[in-house]
Amino acid sequence: MRLAERFGLPLLVAVAAVAAGYALSVGLEGYFVYLGVSAVVAAIALLGLGVVTGTAGMISLCQLTFGAVGAFVVSACNVAGVPGGFVVWLVLGGLAAALAGVLVGLPALRLRGITLAVVTLGLAAAADLTLVQIQFPGATEGLSVERPEAFSDDRSYFLFAVLVLVVCGLVVHFLRRGRWGSSWHLVAFSERGTAAVGAGVRTSKLTAFAVSAALGGISGGLLTGQVGLAFPASFTSIQSLALYVLAIMSGAHLIDMAVFGALLWVAVPELLKRWGVPQDWGFVIFGVLGVQALAGRGNLGTAWRNLWYRRRSRTTAGVGLTDVADVEPLPPGDPVLEVRGLSVSFGHVRALSDVDILVPEHGVLGVIGPNGAGKSTLVDVISGFLPRATGTVTLDGRPLTGSPARRARAGLRRTFQQDRVPPGLTVGAYVRFVARRRVTAAEVADALEFFGCPAARTPLSRVDAGARRLVEVVGHLLAWPRVLLLDEPAAGLPHEEHVAFGRRLRQVPARFGVSVLLIEHDLDLVRSVCDRLTVLDFGQVLASGPQAEVLADPAVLKAYMGETELL
């Protein structure tokens, strides 16, 4: 049943698309066949832009430069008579463009926003000038590219282009539903969140650029087969910029909207021509629509889907914590996470000073303290987000060093105070990605039910803030780490649900085999979960020990001042 749900509908849509393409190839005539192929070529290019911009959240203003790479390879293969024919040349062009995409994506590892836009636009402009000088292989000799033998005439070539688009759409669909796609969504929403689950931020970005560029290369190769020759005028930087704006405006990360954007790409200039308006005004129209989309932080595809969801349901999914049977707690064992002499300074400000913390096997250690005590700094240092610190951190007796992703893979996971759960995924897709291992549907459903989370098929965009925090916890627990650092996990939950959530946290060591370090302001929750506490104040350990002793310590009462009544 699960395989049927996963593959059945996409394949059914693909068959319908091929059938529609066949019908159009029979019905279209003359110039409309040319326009049809142009729309398909633009749809593939937009589909690639949807990966890198709409899904992975990066700016790329050189998509047609990748198209030029694909066109150059197809033209060169045609001139050299490379065996395999047009289909093989098209694949080689896509692979060459993917390699170029990785090279272009390298600056994206350090650059963001307008800086990355300038770099990619500059590359497009440089490629434009270069192509004018060197020309494409076979262009000066007038050596036309040979189409596939079975698709040599214009109508059949349109059907061939539709088949390529369908294959590209299926590949993108399944990539987005897999690990790569989840990493693209997560890196767009939070690079820190990506690293915290053990995924490589660099890998996520480079794979997005590679897939996007490969699709751009394929579109360029198809365009060469359509015209017969490749010309620099087909791959200018201004066209790349207009294509990017159109991708943002239409929402090209959605496959149907990539096709819709391609129809606009072809239709708007044609309508302007029929009305006697210069076609260059099409770029102005795309620019105005793109500015509107960027200013409104939305696009047509997302707006239409939100309208559909609102018609179906006006409520968001929340937490449904119910009574659960208690599991016998396991006795605390030897320390699994040891922090010794941890110190951090920001200039002359001492954020942490000689902090010692021990998290026992099968235990839940609470870390509390007033605002500004250094709790969040402590979690950042332990998890690798603040590497410039003195002292030692060991996990199972081994030094814990390196990047956050490396520490996560070693068995240390963490959650964040801020929302790091991307809305573009379903609950189940996010949990499976964060788990970083093969988990069964039963495991996922059981863990989600235990924490009162929405069902796995629920889109995270329809889940409220409190429930998303618990979904984040579930994903990390299903990874079976040795230690999980929870930074105020109950934030966003109604106060009456804190105690119910605390009962579940108390069972985490026995149920999931995970030790917990809990940072929390709600002392009712702390009391219900933690047997041992460590209190931080001005970056120093003020008290540490059994809960009752620590909360009765006069120094702790004084540090909390206005919170004394809560203690």
Side-chain angles (χ1 to χ4, degrees):
M1 179 62 70
R2 183 179 172 188
L3 288 177
E5 291 179 354
R6 183 175 183 180
F7 296 102
L9 182 58
L11 293 179
L12 184 62
V13 172
V15 171
V18 173
Y22 176 77
L24 288 172
S25 69
V26 174
L28 294 177
E29 295 181 356
Y31 185 57
F32 288 101
V33 177
Y34 174 83
L35 292 180
V37 177
S38 300
V40 173
V41 169
I44 297 174
L46 284 169
L47 199 60
L49 271 177
V51 169
V52 74
T53 61
T55 306
M58 295 177 287
I59 296 176
S60 176
L61 303 182
C62 57
Q63 185 69 351
L64 291 185
T65 300
F66 301 133
V69 172
F72 194 95
V73 171
V74 168
S75 300
C77 289
N78 179 65
V79 171
V82 174
F86 185 79
V87 175
V88 173
W89 305 343
L90 198 62
V91 172
L92 292 176
L95 293 176
L99 179 59
V102 171
L103 296 177
V104 173
L106 290 175
L109 302 180
R110 295 185 177 274
L111 303 178
R112 295 175 181 84
I114 189 63
T115 307
L116 180 59
V118 170
V119 170
T120 55
L121 184 59
L123 174 67
D128 189 8
L129 292 174
T130 302
L131 289 174
V132 170
Q133 295 297 321
I134 66 174
Q135 296 296 320
F136 286 91
T140 55
E141 299 88 349
L143 189 59
S144 181
V145 172
E146 295 183 7
R147 296 175 178 176
E149 185 175 348
F151 303 96
S152 57
D153 63 276
D154 290 344
R155 285 184 173 181
S156 60
Y157 188 75
F158 169 75
L159 179 59
F160 173 76
V162 170
L163 290 172
V164 174
L165 172 60
V166 169
V167 171
C168 291
L170 286 173
V171 169
V172 170
H173 172 77
F174 289 115
L175 282 177
R176 282 184 177 144
R177 295 191 64 176
R179 183 162 291 186
W180 276 14
S182 296
S183 71
W184 299 338
H185 280 284
L186 196 53
V187 80
F189 193 71
S190 170
E191 292 186 15
R192 287 168 64 91
T194 305
V197 305
V201 173
R202 294 183 176 183
T203 302
S204 301
K205 290 185 174 183
L206 291 180
T207 53
F209 258 103
V211 171
S212 174
L215 292 170
I218 290 172
S219 70
L222 274 178
L223 179 61
T224 304
Q226 176 192 18
V227 179
L229 295 171
F231 300 101
S234 301
F235 308 101
T236 63
S237 56
I238 187 64
Q239 288 176 305
S240 284
L241 181 58
L243 199 68
Y244 169 80
V245 170
L246 187 59
I248 294 298
M249 181 271 294
S250 63
H253 60 289
L254 305 168
I255 295 176
D256 56 329
M257 298 309 298
V259 176
F260 175 75
L263 294 176
L264 289 180
W265 178 260
V266 173
V268 169
E270 285 301 312
L271 289 174
L272 292 176
K273 182 173 69 173
R274 289 178 181 272
W275 295 336
V277 179
Q279 292 187 11
D280 288 343
W281 279 96
F283 295 141
V284 177
I285 294 174
F286 293 149
V288 171
L289 293 175
V291 169
Q292 178 64 30
L294 291 171
R297 296 181 179 273
N299 54 70
L300 289 177
T302 302
W304 288 348
R305 278 164 170 75
N306 288 340
L307 180 61
W308 169 253
Y309 280 124
R310 280 198 295 270
R311 286 182 174 179
R312 294 181 61 186
S313 175
R314 295 181 180 274
T315 60
T316 58
V319 178
L321 293 171
T322 58
D323 291 335
V324 293
D326 289 333
V327 177
E328 187 67 26
L330 299 173
D334 295 331
V336 60
L337 178 69
E338 298 186 50
V339 178
R340 300 288 187 181
L342 201 63
S343 298
V344 178
S345 296
F346 300 103
H348 297 291
V349 177
R350 193 82 160 173
L352 294 176
S353 181
D354 294 323
V355 172
D356 293 341
I357 286 180
L358 303 177
V359 179
E361 181 89 19
H362 307 141
V364 180
L365 172 69
V367 177
I368 63 174
N371 289 329
K375 303 185 295 299
S376 295
T377 301
L378 173 68
V379 175
D380 282 345
V381 172
I382 295 175
S383 55
F385 287 98
L386 283 176
R388 296 182 180 180
T390 59
T392 61
V393 180
T394 59
L395 185 67
D396 284 325
R398 296 187 298 272
L400 192 64
T401 58
S403 66
R406 179 177 178 182
R407 298 187 189 206
R409 291 191 287 266
L412 180 78
R413 291 294 190 95
R414 68 160 295 181
T415 64
F416 295 85
Q417 288 184 18
Q418 300 82 14
D419 185 11
R420 306 283 177 176
V421 181
L425 298 174
T426 63
V427 170
Y430 172 77
V431 167
R432 287 188 175 87
F433 176 71
V434 174
R436 306 295 290 172
R437 67 177 183 86
R438 291 187 178 274
V439 292
T440 65
E443 282 183 278
V444 173
D446 181 64
L448 291 173
E449 183 181 4
F450 179 72
F451 279 97
C453 297
R457 297 181 64 178
T458 308
L460 282 165
S461 59
R462 310 300 299 170
V463 176
D464 66 32
R468 286 200 302 270
R469 301 299 302 277
L470 299 194
V471 169
E472 182 182 17
V473 172
V474 169
H476 285 291
L477 287 176
L478 287 178
W480 293 344
R482 297 290 291 139
V483 176
L484 176 59
L485 311 181
L486 298 176
D487 196 351
E488 299 189 28
L493 291 179
H495 183 74
E496 59 271 14
E497 294 183 350
H498 282 205
V499 175
F501 174 58
R503 289 185 60 190
R504 286 157 174 77
L505 280 186
R506 190 170 179 82
Q507 297 181 48
V508 161
R511 188 180 181 96
F512 296 94
V514 178
S515 302
V516 176
L517 188 154
L518 172 65
I519 291 180
E520 183 57 59
H521 281 294
D522 187 335
L523 292 177
D524 288 336
L525 175 59
V526 170
R527 283 195 186 95
S528 66
V529 177
C530 307
D531 292 320
R532 299 186 65 83
L533 296 177
T534 295
V535 181
L536 292 181
D537 188 32
F538 292 106
Q540 296 180 319
V541 174
L542 187 62
S544 185
Q547 179 194 128
E549 294 180 10
V550 170
L551 294 182
D553 190 321
V556 174
L557 298 175
K558 182 179 179 181
Y560 267 86
M561 294 183 295
E563 301 181 39
T564 304
E565 293 81 1
L566 296 177
L567 298 172

